[in-house]
Amino acid sequence: MTFRTRFAPSPTGPLHLGHAYSALLAHDMAVAQNGEFLLRIEDIDQSRARPEWETQIYEDLAWLGLSWSPNVVRQSDRFAAYDEALDALWTQGLLYPCTCSRRDIANALSAPQEGYPTHGPDGVIYPGTCRLDARQISGPRPKGAVMRLNMDLATSRIGQDNAMSSYRFNDMNKAPQDVVFTSEDVTSNVGDIVLSRKDMGTSYHLSVVLDDAAQGITDVIRGADLFEATQIHVVLQRILSFPTPTYHHHKLIRDNTGKRLAKRDDARAISKFRSEGYTPEDIRKMVGLSGQDSGAISSVSVPSTTDV
Ligand code: GLU
């Protein structure tokens, strides 16, 4: 199978050194494997996505010396595919509409059950206030509503089909063992996640799983901040009968104080380095991907705001 990976930035701000590291690493791995490097513009949040940031993504990546497959996927072109998947999950009784406000959820969580976590990889673990039994759900899916996945029902269906209720995925940075988790883990640590938001008609988790499958991604190379979210993606892949890619959750680039870089870190924006006369090789050096340490997962020293 051809190695195929992707870089999936959101056009909501400038790419910074952390993005450069992720894109360079994915690109280098694709080249080393004689594989393909794809680009996906993750712009489901139309209130924050801007065409000028998308243009800058292409410019920054080209300046870094990367080339990508010409079929760039833009998530905003894929709302029909997300809708279709939501309809299929709705028909299977795996979704329910949620009308809780943040305050309702906070109130319900103010008396948590002892021993149960209140926060998971998707934020607060929904206490189940609106959860309906699948048999009570009928008719067409209400559009424009918040839709939650009934995690308990979803994992028990997967369990029935597979005669086992554990999940695994291979994380190259944790090899040789697979990362294994159970239905119980995902029910209690993640809970009923939102698969469709009112303002978006989809969610990050649903879109990323559908798009990785549609783009035939064999290897997902992304930051360690998304490691916990991968269990959600693996469950969705099982429900939707998609293969699970191999994951590589790489280190995060941090500033000198140990803080992870964020979109608002304009001082470390690739475009800023570019305009100040740095070279792509300088960027590779800064993130630890130059010459002999190419591909190494090592600690790096990123110039602090005052250094640049
Ligand atoms: N769009 C996400 C980001 O910019 C990346 C998602 C992924 O790689 O799965 O952080």
Side-chain angles (χ1 to χ4, degrees), residues 70-127:
N71 313 320
V72 175
V73 166
R74 194 182 287 117
Q75 288 190 321
S76 54
D77 292 333
R78 296 212 2 103
F79 284 116
Y82 308 146
D83 238 32
E84 202 180 304
L86 287 165
D87 281 340
L89 295 172
W90 172 261
T91 308
Q92 292 173 54
L94 295 176
L95 299 183
Y96 62 89
C98 176
T99 54
C100 289
S101 65
R102 275 170 208 260
R103 180 184 290 256
D104 295 335
I105 297 174
N107 286 344
L109 284 171
S110 60
Q113 274 179 280
E114 209 171 323
Y116 284 90
T118 54
H119 282 74
D122 204 45
V124 289
I125 299 172
Y126 183 63

Side-chain angles (χ1 to χ4, degrees), residues 6 8-10 19 40 42 204 208 222 226 263:
R6 52 38 168 206
S10 300
H19 295 106
R40 183 166 74 227
E42 301 214 321
Y204 159 67
V208 97
R222 62 185 180 191
L226 289 168
K263 283 257 161 73

Side-chain angles (χ1 to χ4, degrees), residues 24-252:
L24 287 165
L25 188 62
H27 181 266
D28 289 357
M29 284 175 76
V31 170
Q33 300 284 331
N34 218 0
E36 292 173 54
F37 175 69
L38 277 56
L39 188 56
R40 183 166 74 227
I41 303 296
E42 301 214 321
D43 59 349
I44 50 172
D45 187 349
Q46 291 278 289
S47 67
R48 292 173 60 223
R50 298 270 177 277
E52 51 275 28
W53 292 128
E54 184 177 330
T55 305
Q56 196 171 301
I57 288 171
Y58 302 130
E59 286 170 5
D60 285 345
L61 296 180
W63 176 79
L64 282 170
L66 306 189
S67 54
W68 52 90
S69 154
N71 313 320
V72 175
V73 166
R74 194 182 287 117
Q75 288 190 321
S76 54
D77 292 333
R78 296 212 2 103
F79 284 116
Y82 308 146
D83 238 32
E84 202 180 304
L86 287 165
D87 281 340
L89 295 172
W90 172 261
T91 308
Q92 292 173 54
L94 295 176
L95 299 183
Y96 62 89
C98 176
T99 54
C100 289
S101 65
R102 275 170 208 260
R103 180 184 290 256
D104 295 335
I105 297 174
N107 286 344
L109 284 171
S110 60
Q113 274 179 280
E114 209 171 323
Y116 284 90
T118 54
H119 282 74
D122 204 45
V124 289
I125 299 172
Y126 183 63
T129 324
C130 281
R131 189 184 301 123
L132 301 171
D133 188 276
R135 282 161 299 188
Q136 290 172 255
I137 295 172
S138 59
R141 175 170 61 92
K143 299 283 157 99
V146 172
M147 283 288 154
R148 288 187 181 273
L149 176 70
N150 186 332
M151 191 63 90
D152 204 17
L153 194 58
T155 53
S156 63
R157 294 258 177 91
I158 296 169
Q160 278 163 15
D161 291 349
N162 294 275
M164 68 183 247
S165 58
S166 73
Y167 307 82
R168 57 183 63 236
F169 64 92
N170 185 245
D171 188 313
M172 288 306 284
N173 295 339
K174 293 192 190 295
Q177 298 99 333
D178 281 354
V179 177
V180 181
F181 58 97
T182 64
S183 292
E184 291 70 39
D185 292 335
V186 87
T187 308
S188 58
N189 299 340
V190 178
D192 294 356
I193 50 160
V194 170
L195 283 194
S196 179
R197 283 172 47 169
K198 211 186 237 166
D199 50 344
M200 286 182 189
T202 181
S203 65
Y204 159 67
H205 300 301
L206 181 71
S207 306
V208 97
V209 164
L210 289 169
D211 295 345
D212 282 341
Q215 290 188 282
I217 300 301
T218 62
D219 292 72
V220 173
I221 298 161
R222 62 185 180 191
D225 53 329
L226 289 168
F227 175 76
E228 293 293 335
T230 300
Q231 55 186 316
I232 299 174
H233 301 172
V234 173
V235 169
L236 291 174
Q237 286 151 3
R238 293 279 283 274
I239 304 171
L240 295 162
S241 304
F242 294 149
T244 290
T246 297
Y247 287 88
H248 310 248
H249 292 102
H250 59 70
K251 66 171 185 186
L252 300 176

